[in-house]
PDB file of all heavy atoms in Angstrom:
ATOM      1  N   ILE A  60      11.890 -20.176 112.626  1.00 87.00           N
ATOM      2  CA  ILE A  60      13.043 -19.721 111.849  1.00 87.00           C
ATOM      3  C   ILE A  60      14.252 -19.515 112.741  1.00 87.00           C
ATOM      4  O   ILE A  60      15.363 -19.891 112.401  1.00 87.00           O
ATOM      5  CB  ILE A  60      12.700 -18.432 111.085  1.00 87.00           C
ATOM      6  CG1 ILE A  60      11.670 -18.743 110.006  1.00 87.00           C
ATOM      7  CG2 ILE A  60      13.931 -17.830 110.446  1.00 87.00           C
ATOM      8  CD1 ILE A  60      11.082 -17.525 109.366  1.00 87.00           C
ATOM      9  N   LEU A  61      14.023 -18.921 113.914  1.00 87.00           N
ATOM     10  CA  LEU A  61      15.160 -18.550 114.749  1.00 87.00           C
ATOM     11  C   LEU A  61      15.366 -19.512 115.923  1.00 87.00           C
ATOM     12  O   LEU A  61      16.395 -20.177 116.025  1.00 87.00           O
ATOM     13  CB  LEU A  61      14.940 -17.124 115.257  1.00 87.00           C
ATOM     14  CG  LEU A  61      16.081 -16.503 116.049  1.00 87.00           C
ATOM     15  CD1 LEU A  61      17.294 -16.377 115.147  1.00 87.00           C
ATOM     16  CD2 LEU A  61      15.666 -15.140 116.564  1.00 87.00           C
ATOM     17  N   PHE A  62      14.350 -19.646 116.784  1.00 88.00           N
ATOM     18  CA  PHE A  62      14.588 -20.314 118.066  1.00 88.00           C
ATOM     19  C   PHE A  62      14.694 -21.828 117.958  1.00 88.00           C
ATOM     20  O   PHE A  62      15.241 -22.465 118.852  1.00 88.00           O
ATOM     21  CB  PHE A  62      13.504 -19.917 119.072  1.00 88.00           C
ATOM     22  CG  PHE A  62      13.604 -18.492 119.497  1.00 88.00           C
ATOM     23  CD1 PHE A  62      12.728 -17.549 119.023  1.00 88.00           C
ATOM     24  CD2 PHE A  62      14.623 -18.082 120.325  1.00 88.00           C
ATOM     25  CE1 PHE A  62      12.828 -16.216 119.397  1.00 88.00           C
ATOM     26  CE2 PHE A  62      14.745 -16.767 120.711  1.00 88.00           C
ATOM     27  CZ  PHE A  62      13.849 -15.829 120.240  1.00 88.00           C
ATOM     28  N   ASN A  63      14.177 -22.442 116.860  1.00 86.00           N
ATOM     29  CA  ASN A  63      14.366 -23.884 116.704  1.00 86.00           C
ATOM     30  C   ASN A  63      15.778 -24.232 116.264  1.00 86.00           C
ATOM     31  O   ASN A  63      16.137 -25.396 116.202  1.00 86.00           O
ATOM     32  CB  ASN A  63      13.383 -24.446 115.676  1.00 86.00           C
ATOM     33  CG  ASN A  63      12.072 -24.815 116.315  1.00 86.00           C
ATOM     34  OD1 ASN A  63      11.927 -24.745 117.524  1.00 86.00           O
ATOM     35  ND2 ASN A  63      11.125 -25.213 115.500  1.00 86.00           N
ATOM     36  N   HIS A  64      16.584 -23.220 115.916  1.00 84.00           N
ATOM     37  CA  HIS A  64      17.911 -23.510 115.382  1.00 84.00           C
ATOM     38  C   HIS A  64      19.020 -22.996 116.273  1.00 84.00           C
ATOM     39  O   HIS A  64      20.161 -22.893 115.841  1.00 84.00           O
ATOM     40  CB  HIS A  64      18.039 -22.920 113.979  1.00 84.00           C
ATOM     41  CG  HIS A  64      17.044 -23.486 113.032  1.00 84.00           C
ATOM     42  ND1 HIS A  64      17.217 -24.695 112.414  1.00 84.00           N
ATOM     43  CD2 HIS A  64      15.825 -23.043 112.650  1.00 84.00           C
ATOM     44  CE1 HIS A  64      16.163 -24.956 111.670  1.00 84.00           C
ATOM     45  NE2 HIS A  64      15.296 -23.984 111.798  1.00 84.00           N
ATOM     46  N   ILE A  65      18.690 -22.660 117.517  1.00 83.00           N
ATOM     47  CA  ILE A  65      19.736 -22.159 118.413  1.00 83.00           C
ATOM     48  C   ILE A  65      20.648 -23.302 118.837  1.00 83.00           C
ATOM     49  O   ILE A  65      21.875 -23.192 118.774  1.00 83.00           O
ATOM     50  CB  ILE A  65      19.099 -21.456 119.629  1.00 83.00           C
ATOM     51  CG1 ILE A  65      18.534 -20.122 119.173  1.00 83.00           C
ATOM     52  CG2 ILE A  65      20.121 -21.258 120.729  1.00 83.00           C
ATOM     53  CD1 ILE A  65      17.958 -19.290 120.264  1.00 83.00           C
ATOM     54  N   ASN A  66      20.072 -24.448 119.240  1.00 80.00           N
ATOM     55  CA  ASN A  66      20.837 -25.656 119.576  1.00 80.00           C
ATOM     56  C   ASN A  66      22.011 -25.363 120.500  1.00 80.00           C
ATOM     57  O   ASN A  66      23.134 -25.787 120.258  1.00 80.00           O
ATOM     58  CB  ASN A  66      21.362 -26.350 118.313  1.00 80.00           C
ATOM     59  CG  ASN A  66      20.222 -26.862 117.480  1.00 80.00           C
ATOM     60  OD1 ASN A  66      19.152 -27.139 118.004  1.00 80.00           O
ATOM     61  ND2 ASN A  66      20.436 -26.987 116.197  1.00 80.00           N
ATOM     62  N   PHE A  67      21.747 -24.613 121.561  1.00 81.00           N
ATOM     63  CA  PHE A  67      22.780 -24.283 122.539  1.00 81.00           C
ATOM     64  C   PHE A  67      23.246 -25.575 123.213  1.00 81.00           C
ATOM     65  O   PHE A  67      22.420 -26.382 123.651  1.00 81.00           O
ATOM     66  CB  PHE A  67      22.170 -23.303 123.557  1.00 81.00           C
ATOM     67  CG  PHE A  67      23.118 -22.854 124.619  1.00 81.00           C
ATOM     68  CD1 PHE A  67      24.275 -22.196 124.282  1.00 81.00           C
ATOM     69  CD2 PHE A  67      22.831 -23.077 125.944  1.00 81.00           C
ATOM     70  CE1 PHE A  67      25.147 -21.778 125.258  1.00 81.00           C
ATOM     71  CE2 PHE A  67      23.699 -22.652 126.934  1.00 81.00           C
ATOM     72  CZ  PHE A  67      24.859 -22.009 126.582  1.00 81.00           C
ATOM     73  N   LEU A  68      24.548 -25.807 123.241  1.00 81.00           N
ATOM     74  CA  LEU A  68      25.148 -27.037 123.769  1.00 81.00           C
ATOM     75  C   LEU A  68      24.590 -28.292 123.071  1.00 81.00           C
ATOM     76  O   LEU A  68      24.495 -29.357 123.658  1.00 81.00           O
ATOM     77  CB  LEU A  68      24.937 -27.185 125.273  1.00 81.00           C
ATOM     78  CG  LEU A  68      25.541 -26.104 126.150  1.00 81.00           C
ATOM     79  CD1 LEU A  68      25.284 -26.425 127.610  1.00 81.00           C
ATOM     80  CD2 LEU A  68      27.030 -25.981 125.892  1.00 81.00           C
TER      81      LEU A  68
END
Side-chain angles (χ1 to χ4, degrees):
Chain A
I60 292 170
L61 185 63
F62 291 105
N63 273 355
H64 299 279
I65 287 184
N66 295 334
F67 181 60
L68 299 182

